[in-house]
Amino acid sequence: LLAVVALTLALSSRYAARVLGASGGHLLITEPVDETRLVTLVGNTRPEANAVNDHGRLPDNFQVEHMLLQLRRAPELEHEFEQHIESLTDKSSPNFRHWIMATEQGEKYGLSEQDLGTITGWLTSHGFTVGYVYPNRMVIDFSGTAGEIREAFHTEIHELQVSGKQHFANMSDPKIPAALASAIVGVVSMHNFKPRAMNMLRSNYTFAGCGSN
């Protein structure tokens, strides 16, 4: 009987390993989600979200659309992905210029279906609407209200006045259950600030006396 049990466990382990490999990565979330054990997603607050610009908390029914949850690969998959990207421009590599689509990237290097299910399940349990899981399995688009954000991420959405323009943003770094931290980098867009170009305009000088201007 013991031999049968041992054989069954061994076969189950091998099957699980194949499933994990086929589902796009190793399991990162291995503990039950405990809302009392939280970690802070450091660096997820806009610098403009300060007391000088603060015009107060927005109502709980204020809608925040298309927030982006940035996910995290397992370290070994991140290393493999970086090596693959480098091989695409290596003429000696069989991968040279063999570009892969986002879906294939997700299957090989993205989060497992089980981890994605755990994260999207956690979001919907707090009332959020999951709009889209990107094919590379590294970003989740979701929407919800300021009240749901406060309840799930433990941060408030406030109105801000910056350079004469009205904005909204979270006033502190979000917090999530510790069980999810291994698979989540942060919330990219819990605000309505738009990216700005980093290039600076410079004067265009001409010089005479060098054969041409």
Side-chain angles (χ1 to χ4, degrees):
L1 178 60
L2 291 176
V4 173
V5 172
L7 178 61
T8 301
L9 290 174
L11 291 174
S12 298
S13 298
R14 291 177 185 176
Y15 175 76
R18 288 198 298 271
V19 170
L20 285 176
S23 64
H26 304 285
L27 281 181
L28 295 174
I29 304 171
T30 58
E31 302 175 4
V33 176
D34 183 354
E35 299 284 355
T36 66
R37 295 180 58 244
L38 303 175
V39 296
T40 301
L41 299 174
V42 178
N44 284 256
T45 305
R46 294 282 306 190
E48 299 90 345
N50 55 52
V52 175
N53 299 325
D54 188 8
H55 278 238
R57 194 178 88 183
L58 288 168
D60 281 352
N61 62 357
F62 180 80
Q63 192 72 25
V64 183
E65 302 284 353
H66 301 296
M67 292 174 280
L68 299 178
L69 193 66
Q70 177 69 51
L71 307 178
R72 188 195 313 274
R73 293 185 183 91
E76 57 270 29
L77 282 182
E78 183 65 35
H79 179 66
E80 290 177 15
F81 180 65
E82 291 175 356
Q83 287 184 320
H84 181 82
I85 293 300
E86 291 179 1
S87 72
L88 296 176
T89 55
D90 182 358
K91 292 183 179 180
S92 64
S93 170
N95 292 328
F96 179 61
R97 291 185 177 177
H98 288 181
W99 318 112
I100 60 175
M101 301 297 288
T103 301
E104 184 181 355
Q105 179 183 325
E107 291 172 351
K108 288 185 175 180
Y109 305 109
L111 265 67
S112 68
E113 293 285 1
Q114 184 171 328
D115 283 339
L116 287 173
T118 300
I119 295 170
T120 55
W122 176 74
L123 288 170
T124 55
S125 73
H126 285 280
F128 295 107
T129 299
V130 175
Y132 188 61
V133 178
Y134 280 66
N136 65 358
R137 301 186 186 181
M138 295 303 296
V139 180
I140 297 174
D141 178 302
F142 69 105
S143 303
T145 65
E148 290 163 351
I149 291 172
R150 188 177 71 254
E151 192 266 335
F153 289 96
H154 306 274
T155 184
E156 295 182 351
I157 302 297
H158 282 215
E159 178 187 345
L160 305 174
Q161 291 289 338
V162 181
S163 300
K165 295 183 179 180
Q166 186 178 28
H167 292 275
F168 67 83
N170 53 299
M171 295 301 291
S172 61
D173 284 338
K175 296 179 181 180
I176 60 171
L180 303 177
S182 59
I184 294 177
V185 176
V187 186
V188 177
S189 55
M190 200 176 273
H191 55 77
N192 68 340
F193 287 91
K194 303 300 181 184
R196 292 186 300 174
M198 298 299 291
N199 61 305
M200 301 290 291
L201 294 177
R202 293 180 172 85
S203 299
N204 186 15
Y205 295 99
T206 58
F207 297 88
C210 300
S212 63
N213 289 339

